[in-house]
Amino acid sequence: MTECFLVFALAIALGWPLGRYLAAVMRGAPMRGDRLFGAVERPLYRLLGIDPAQGMGWKAYAAAFLASNLLVGALTWIVFMTQAWLPLNPNDAPNLRWDLALHTMVSFLTNTNQQHYSGQAQLSHLAQMTGIVGLQVVTPMMGLALLAATLRGLFGGRVAAGAAAPGGEADVGNYWADVIRPTVRVLLPLCLVASLALTWQGVPSTLQGGPVAVPIDAAAGMPAQKIPVGPVAPMVAVKQLGSNGGGWYGPNSAVPLENPTPLSNLLEMLAIVLIPVAITFMVGAFTGRRRLTALVFGTMLTMSLASAGAALWSESLSGTSGDVALMEGKEVRFGAAPSALWAAVTTQTSNGSVDAMHDSMAPLTGLVTIADMLINAIWGGIGCGLQQFLVYLLLGVFVAGLMTGRTPELFGRKIEAREVKLLAALVLLQPLVLLVFTAITLALPSIAGTSNPSFHGISQVFYEYTSAYANNGSGFEGLGDATPWWNLSTTLVLLLGRYPALIVPLAIAASLARKRVAPEGPGTLQVETPTFALTLIALVLILTLLQFMPVLVLGPIADHLALRAL
Amino acid sequence: MNTSAANPNLWRASLALALITLLGFGLSYSLLATGAGRLLFPVQAAGSLLERDGRVIGSALVAQPFADDRYFRPRPSAANYDAMALSGSNQARTNPDLRARIDAARAAVAAREGVTPADVPGDLLTASGSGIDPHLSPAAVRIQIARVARARGWPVAEVERLVAAQLEAPQGGCWGRRASTCWR
């Protein structure tokens, strides 16, 4: 309980100033530190050969996003497949097989960090420091950039000195500057501080591969124990802060070397929620509508507390908390309640790091984590969480407009057939992808690779695809997922979960930006009110239940009933 | 709208950003943070290693297996305490194999420590998430004291005193559970 209070109180207290700072960074406003940060940024812009002040239309912006993803992905894929021949490989990790390398690359490129490999044994220090950490730094900032562009579009585009971008499209900003500015001014400085704090608590920070220890009791039958170390702390810092989640070690932050103390656990949990919470404060300052922050923050906090409360209750207070198996998959230095809280916040924020094995948690805790990922907008990942929230917001306005018989409009701009069609396609993509892939995999037991029998096996498969589509990355890790089927099918799901979810809201915003603004009158639907926030929460719940109730009953709910019957 | 006209440097900028990502945001940041960490906290940075007679005998953050009665036993490990193969069991609560394993462990621990099966704490019966959890709950240490004292021929009070000295207080006085590094 203390942890729960501390995590939320600290995230809100620090997220408020951080969000306002983020807004200034994304607006390109003059600020203290311009000389220092400018000295870092200017050479980068020169290397890119771009003018950071140049505006872009939404299509150019999206093209830059996709092209930069393609090249950084290709480069990373090559590193993974050639790491054995490259330097800084003290533990002699072999090259990754092409399909595992592809899945790993796409998984980190989509800010998911689903892992079908174990880092301590299968990646070289160089691969971790360049491919893994590089993507963990840049992909959340790409998500943030897309959000900034979408918000600019929603309010008619940037009114910079140059006015509209070429081609008559609304100017939604400069993609390159939107990625580089927050990376240099926000994420990397935060990561440096977090990395040092984690090393202080015991997370390794060295270029060596680690010694082979000679254990104390020779009678126990283990003549040698390799202690895997490396530049772990910088990676864990950005893993937690950047809604990434992929750990240095296979079992992630459950490993004492990755998360050594209750204090490091608290810091890592705070790092999970910090930037996603800050973004809700950024939104108001960035758009100049404080009440928008109130709507976003209030809605997300309500859902977050409900989900965290449900996980805490299920894992540490309900009838199943007396189970002798309670500590299976958990670490003694954390215990049940902090592990449950972590499970809730890591799935709310599209982070996906874990400090206990979700596979071994109570079935209803599993239900909470799956529901968090299906909604994927309770804070959500950096940038993508707000994009998903905007999708729900537009749907909410549309549905409320239908119910009250008014033309649906958001911020004075009419939502018409084109926008609703795009929204519908995006919303329907989720059940289509998740249910079809889950059904195919379950129909072929030889490829499913489930490690637990019965209903929990269904949960394992559904969890894996849900996590991939939500770009979360956590898993019911007993699943035998390092196979070509799992690597390739989840690669596709990862891509489908990332790019449409970021680009479609931008396209809708750009389409709205071209419309005339109708002044708000007494007949206008007020969205920034508690009534509408509750309507929105109801819509999110109903939508999720309508689409996924059957599979949730077959998976975690049946699993819970089976546990009760034991 | 012509996308390439609006983005005259699309591919050059993309390639440059890819290189900056891997070498700048990735490698340079990692090297900087690693160097600073080593400088400020050399012991932790190296992996909290423990040495005896100039030889590394383990890490304070990695559990080891023990068989001799003179030592405290750590929690069960799904990875056989292999720090390169780290893993939890990932068995579901409804998995019959998990129940069978817990029942077998309960009988074995109760017989070894001379306590009733109901008195064996859960953390001694369940595999940790990492496979190398170096901590035990105070109760899980306590039931092993009598056996260790007997095997070493030490007074029970002496072992209890040593255990009390190893007990880690909750951090900051408010969060975290009391836990003990067990394996020395």
Side-chain angles (χ1 to χ4, degrees):
Chain A
M1 282 301 132
T2 320
E3 280 92 348
C4 190
F5 174 76
L6 278 173
V7 166
F8 280 101
L10 286 172
I12 293 168
L14 297 172
W16 185 69
L18 180 63
R20 296 179 64 86
Y21 175 63
L22 261 175
V25 168
M26 296 315 283
R27 267 205 315 265
M31 56 172 66
R32 260 189 303 176
D34 267 344
R35 282 177 60 178
L36 172 68
F37 292 128
V40 180
E41 288 164 0
R42 272 188 302 274
L44 300 185
Y45 294 140
R46 264 203 300 281
L47 270 176
L48 266 68
I50 58 101
D51 170 11
Q54 172 72 48
M56 291 177 166
W58 83 270
K59 283 179 190 159
Y61 200 99
F65 170 54
L66 292 172
S68 60
N69 273 251
L70 194 67
L71 288 196
V72 74
L75 203 60
T76 307
W77 194 19
I78 293 171
V79 171
F80 289 159
M81 286 192 298
T82 57
Q83 58 173 357
W85 307 322
L86 298 173
L88 281 172
N89 187 12
N91 294 340
D92 297 320
N95 294 332
L96 290 189
R97 202 178 62 214
W98 73 272
D99 60 312
L100 184 57
L102 179 70
H103 174 267
T104 305
M105 178 276 282
V106 170
S107 161
F108 282 79
L109 188 65
T110 53
N111 193 231
T112 309
N113 297 209
Q114 191 169 48
Q115 294 169 294
H116 293 172
Y117 67 95
S118 264
Q120 75 278 3
Q122 283 176 276
L123 282 185
S124 75
H125 287 1
L126 188 78
Q128 295 263 27
M129 286 195 287
T130 56
I132 299 287
V133 175
L135 289 179
Q136 286 183 326
V137 171
V138 84
T139 56
M141 297 299 99
M142 288 171 169
L144 183 62
L146 269 280
L147 169 64
T150 304
L151 289 174
R152 288 183 191 116
L154 273 185
F155 291 92
R158 201 162 62 153
V159 195
E169 293 263 6
D171 170 6
V172 294
N174 184 287
Y175 169 74
W176 312 104
D178 281 347
V179 172
I180 286 175
R181 279 178 67 89
T183 309
V184 171
R185 292 168 190 246
V186 181
L187 187 56
L188 285 178
L190 273 177
C191 284
L192 271 177
V193 174
S195 174
L196 290 178
L198 289 172
T199 304
W200 166 51
Q201 286 298 299
V203 180
S205 176
T206 169
L207 291 182
Q208 273 151 16
V212 177
V214 180
I216 295 169
D217 186 3
M222 181 186 253
Q225 187 184 41
K226 170 97 181 164
I227 312 288
V229 296
V232 183
M235 190 263 202
V236 176
V238 68
K239 165 192 104 171
Q240 299 300 105
L241 281 164
S243 59
N244 289 296
W248 184 279
Y249 303 101
N252 214 285
S253 279
V255 178
L257 289 165
E258 189 156 330
N259 188 5
T261 63
L263 177 59
S264 70
N265 196 54
L266 183 79
L267 289 175
E268 290 187 14
M269 252 197 283
L270 173 63
I272 289 178
V273 288
L274 178 61
I275 297 182
V277 170
I279 284 179
T280 65
F281 293 108
M282 181 197 93
V283 171
F286 186 72
T287 59
R289 286 182 81 106
R290 286 229 182 125
R291 291 172 61 88
L292 184 56
T293 278
L295 170 74
V296 176
F297 177 75
T299 310
M300 289 188 174
L301 184 69
T302 306
M303 290 196 286
S304 176
L305 290 177
S307 139
L312 278 170
W313 171 82
S314 158
E315 201 63 24
S316 59
L317 296 171
S318 76
T320 52
S321 67
D323 193 336
V324 64
L326 178 69
M327 288 301 287
E328 184 73 22
K330 294 194 183 68
E331 300 280 303
V332 167
R333 65 195 179 286
F334 309 141
S339 301
L341 178 62
W342 181 304
V345 294
T346 198
T347 46
Q348 290 170 6
T349 56
S350 182
N351 187 294
S353 63
V354 299
D355 76 347
M357 297 301 107
H358 288 191
D359 227 350
S360 300
M361 286 186 165
L364 289 185
T365 317
L367 176 67
V368 173
T369 56
I370 292 176
D372 284 346
M373 291 189 289
L374 290 173
I375 296 171
N376 213 21
I378 313 179
W379 313 119
I382 294 176
C384 38
L386 236 296
Q387 295 288 81
Q388 183 63 40
F389 183 88
L390 290 175
V391 168
Y392 290 133
L393 179 61
L394 287 160
L395 273 180
V397 169
F398 177 65
V399 170
L402 290 183
M403 288 195 299
T404 56
R406 288 181 186 139
T407 315
E409 55 179 43
L410 185 63
F411 309 131
R413 292 184 166 83
K414 284 196 174 64
I415 300 165
E416 290 165 304
R418 177 181 145 78
E419 291 83 34
V420 174
K421 274 184 202 158
L422 281 168
L423 277 177
L426 188 60
V427 168
L428 286 176
L429 187 63
Q430 186 192 27
L432 201 68
V433 169
L434 296 188
L435 298 176
V436 167
F437 271 107
T438 302
I440 292 175
T441 306
L442 285 171
L444 303 167
S446 59
I447 57 168
T450 52
S451 65
N452 286 298
S454 182
F455 306 115
H456 196 83
I458 297 175
S459 296
Q460 282 186 299
V461 170
F462 185 61
Y463 193 111
E464 188 75 1
Y465 285 121
T466 303
S467 166
Y469 190 82
N471 291 166
N472 183 278
S474 63
F476 277 180
E477 290 296 349
L479 191 70
D481 51 20
T483 61
W485 165 255
W486 274 114
N487 284 334
L488 297 179
S489 67
T490 47
T491 293
L492 187 62
V493 175
L494 288 164
L495 295 171
L496 289 171
R498 171 82 170 174
Y499 295 99
L502 282 177
I503 292 175
V504 169
L506 176 63
I508 292 173
S511 163
L512 289 176
R514 281 202 300 270
K515 301 186 184 193
R516 235 163 23 94
V517 185
E520 289 184 27
T524 311
L525 174 71
Q526 295 293 327
V527 294
E528 289 137 336
T529 59
T531 318
F532 187 77
L534 284 176
T535 313
L536 203 56
I537 293 173
L539 176 88
V540 167
L541 289 180
I542 291 169
L543 198 64
T544 307
L545 287 179
L546 276 178
Q547 297 178 111
F548 299 109
M549 195 65 195
V551 67
L552 293 176
V553 167
L554 281 174
I557 293 173
D559 198 26
H560 173 71
L561 296 175
L563 180 66
R564 291 287 300 274
L566 270 187
Chain B
M1 189 176 90
N2 187 338
T3 304
S4 59
N7 270 340
N9 286 329
L10 179 64
W11 293 106
R12 174 190 161 180
S14 296
L15 181 64
L17 186 62
L19 290 169
I20 290 168
T21 295
L22 266 63
L23 301 177
F25 301 160
L27 190 64
S28 305
Y29 152 67
S30 291
L31 291 175
L32 185 67
T34 302
R38 276 183 63 178
L39 205 65
L40 291 172
F41 311 106
V43 175
Q44 296 96 312
S48 309
L49 301 176
L50 302 168
E51 294 185 13
R52 182 190 281 165
D53 309 328
R55 251 186 359 176
V56 177
I57 55 167
S59 161
L61 296 174
V62 180
Q64 289 182 1
F66 286 92
D68 195 302
D69 271 351
R70 293 177 303 144
Y71 297 106
F72 288 90
R73 302 287 177 93
R75 298 184 62 192
S77 165
N80 262 324
Y81 307 98
D82 180 350
M84 291 301 278
L86 303 166
S87 175
S89 75
N90 285 306
Q91 283 171 329
R93 298 269 178 97
T94 44
N95 191 328
D97 294 346
L98 173 64
R99 299 292 160 182
R101 206 188 72 220
I102 287 178
D103 289 344
R106 195 204 298 269
V109 173
R112 186 176 74 221
E113 311 297 350
V115 296
T116 55
D119 286 343
V120 180
D123 54 324
L124 267 182
L125 304 176
T126 48
S128 60
S130 61
I132 53 167
D133 186 351
H135 291 96
L136 285 177
S137 66
V141 180
R142 216 171 293 124
I143 67 160
Q144 304 191 46
I145 288 178
R147 166 179 58 81
V148 171
R150 196 162 53 248
R152 289 182 180 261
W154 294 357
V156 168
E158 172 67 7
V159 181
E160 277 172 348
R161 194 184 61 77
L162 290 170
V163 165
Q166 286 292 316
L167 208 61
E168 293 175 10
Q171 264 179 329
C174 60
W175 67 84
R177 292 159 40 112
R178 287 172 77 83
S180 168
T181 34
C182 70
W183 58 266
R184 269 175 265 203

